């Protein structure tokens, strides 16, 4: 466990993980059914894989390069999608001295196995972990990472990993295709379709990897409000005082940062991504 209460994934200051508390839920539906029903689609799960390497590890808690690499490689071979098409990987990333280097070794092994030397030389992929934001949610950790990756491929922004200044030297990141973003970064233009990998590894040896990609482009265009037009910003809260506070917060934020924001994206998030409460206002 981290002695200072921060989860510093992939950082040279990382000293352990942080226990978090949380629950997370996603709704899964066949793509053809979601399209037919006109549902808002955040991301498409292209392929997933799971294995267990518990009988091959040196101890119950120790991660395994081989087990992680095998399940990740399996996913891209089954999907018949090039590993080089990834823009980001949402890592397990516990910030432990043993876990982080092994995860990077496993990903590097997969890249070397699946990519030709010239592809490997060109390939660059962002890597991070939502555990740096909220700690390790135990049974909900994988779904938290999945939600982060789904929002990333949908909106084309790669979030930063927190508490990262310099990489853990044991990772030898400079010898790999992977880099850790320290600020919100636009998706690489070279990627024709936004795709992300998500890893989650259980302490007993169960390894899971999921491949996501952005919703169909035509659908995304239909769902997103036009940025240059007037926008409807709906707000709601459980009481009049809470609504007044929410309105004030949005007002201040938009006044301070309006020039940096895509108002269409803000409107889309308020219209689709927020629960509806009894006290409402719209602007």
């Amino acid at each position: 466990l981290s002695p200072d209460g921060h989860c510093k994934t992939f950082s040279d200051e990382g000293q352990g993980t942080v226990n978090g508390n949380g629950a997370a839920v996603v709704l899964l539906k066949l793509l053809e059914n979601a399209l037919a029903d006109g549902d808002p689609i955040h991301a498409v799960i292209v392929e997933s894989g799971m294995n267990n390497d518990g009988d091959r590890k040196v101890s119950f808690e120790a991660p395994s390069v081989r087990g992680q690499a095998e399940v990740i490689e399996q996913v891209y071979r089954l999907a018949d999608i090039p590993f080089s098409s990834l823009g980001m990987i949402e890592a397990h990333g516990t910030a432990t001295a043993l876990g982080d280097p092994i995860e990077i070794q496993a990903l590097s092994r997969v890249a070397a196995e699946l990519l030709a030397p010239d592809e490997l030389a060109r390939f660059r992929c962002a890597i991070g972990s939502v555990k740096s934001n909220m700690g390790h949610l135990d049974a909900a950790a994988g779904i938290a990472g999945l939600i982060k990756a789904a929002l990333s491929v949908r909106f084309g922004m790669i979030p930063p990993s927190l508490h990262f200044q310099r990489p853990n030297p044991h990772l030898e990141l400079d010898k790999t295709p992977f880099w850790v973003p320290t600020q919100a970064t636009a998706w690489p233009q070279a990627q024709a379709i936004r795709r992300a990998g998500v890893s989650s590894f259980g302490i007993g040896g169960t390894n899971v990897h999921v491949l996501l990609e952005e919703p169909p482009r035509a659908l995304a265009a239909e769902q997103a409000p036009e940025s240059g037009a007037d926008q409807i910003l709906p707000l709601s809260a459980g009481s009049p005082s809470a609504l007044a506070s929410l309105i004030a917060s949005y007002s201040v934020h938009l006044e301070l940062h309006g020039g940096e924001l895509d108002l269409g994206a803000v409107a889309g998030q308020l219209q689709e991504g927020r629960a509806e409460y009894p006290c409402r206002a719209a602007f």
Side-chain angles (χ1 to χ4, degrees):
L1 294 176
S2 171
D4 64 3
H6 293 294
C7 188
K8 301 176 181 178
T9 304
F10 303 132
S11 169
D12 64 347
E13 296 180 342
Q15 300 180 67
T17 199
V18 175
N19 288 328
N21 292 289
V25 177
V26 297
L27 177 64
L28 302 179
K29 198 169 186 178
L30 287 174
L31 178 60
E32 60 190 73
N33 294 345
L35 290 170
D37 293 343
D39 295 323
I41 300 173
H42 296 283
V44 178
I45 297 177
V46 179
E47 190 59 79
S48 64
M50 178 174 66
N51 69 9
N52 188 289
D53 56 16
D55 61 342
R56 291 182 272 163
K57 302 194 302 177
V58 296
S59 75
F60 181 72
E61 296 183 355
S64 156
V65 172
R66 181 179 164 194
Q68 292 180 19
E70 283 178 358
V71 76
I72 295 169
E73 183 177 338
Q74 172 194 2
V75 165
Y76 295 91
R77 290 196 185 280
L78 284 173
D80 195 22
I81 285 176
F83 192 69
S84 57
S85 68
L86 288 180
M88 70 167 275
I89 290 175
E90 172 62 11
H92 187 61
T94 56
T96 56
L98 185 63
D100 283 8
I102 282 181
E103 186 164 8
I104 294 297
Q105 287 176 44
L107 286 167
S108 298
R109 180 180 293 190
V110 171
E113 185 70 26
L114 295 181
L115 302 179
D118 58 329
E119 287 182 299
L120 186 59
R122 295 191 304 268
F123 179 50
R124 295 282 287 159
C125 182
I127 187 167
S129 173
V130 76
K131 291 180 180 67
S132 67
N133 298 76
M134 61 179 70
H136 195 324
L137 300 190
D138 195 50
I143 289 291
L146 183 76
I147 291 172
K148 173 188 166 184
L151 293 172
S152 298
V153 296
R154 179 176 178 187
F155 294 109
M157 292 296 292
I158 300 173
S161 255
L162 303 185
H163 317 303
F164 180 92
Q165 299 297 328
R166 296 171 302 278
N168 178 343
H170 298 295
L171 304 179
E172 298 186 317
L173 272 185
D174 56 336
K175 298 179 182 178
T176 78
F178 306 107
W179 62 282
V180 180
T182 56
Q183 58 186 12
T185 306
W187 206 272
Q189 291 295 316
Q191 305 291 355
I193 298 174
R194 295 194 291 268
R195 293 191 176 111
V198 183
S199 291
S200 189
F201 307 131
I203 196 169
T206 299
N207 305 305
V208 174
H209 189 79
V210 175
L211 169 61
L212 299 179
E213 70 181 29
E214 64 182 304
R217 290 283 172 97
L219 177 71
E222 288 176 17
Q223 290 181 348
E226 186 182 344
S227 292
D230 290 342
Q231 304 298 336
I232 297 175
L233 306 183
L235 299 172
S236 70
S239 68
S241 61
L243 179 61
S245 177
L246 187 66
I247 291 170
S249 296
Y250 269 91
S251 177
V252 170
H253 186 75
L254 289 170
E255 187 172 1
L256 291 176
H257 303 289
E260 311 159 20
L261 298 173
D262 179 344
L263 193 60
V266 175
Q269 188 60 254
L270 289 175
Q271 292 166 19
E272 297 179 24
R274 296 290 183 268
E276 294 180 0
Y277 294 99
C279 297
R280 303 181 186 181
F283 297 88

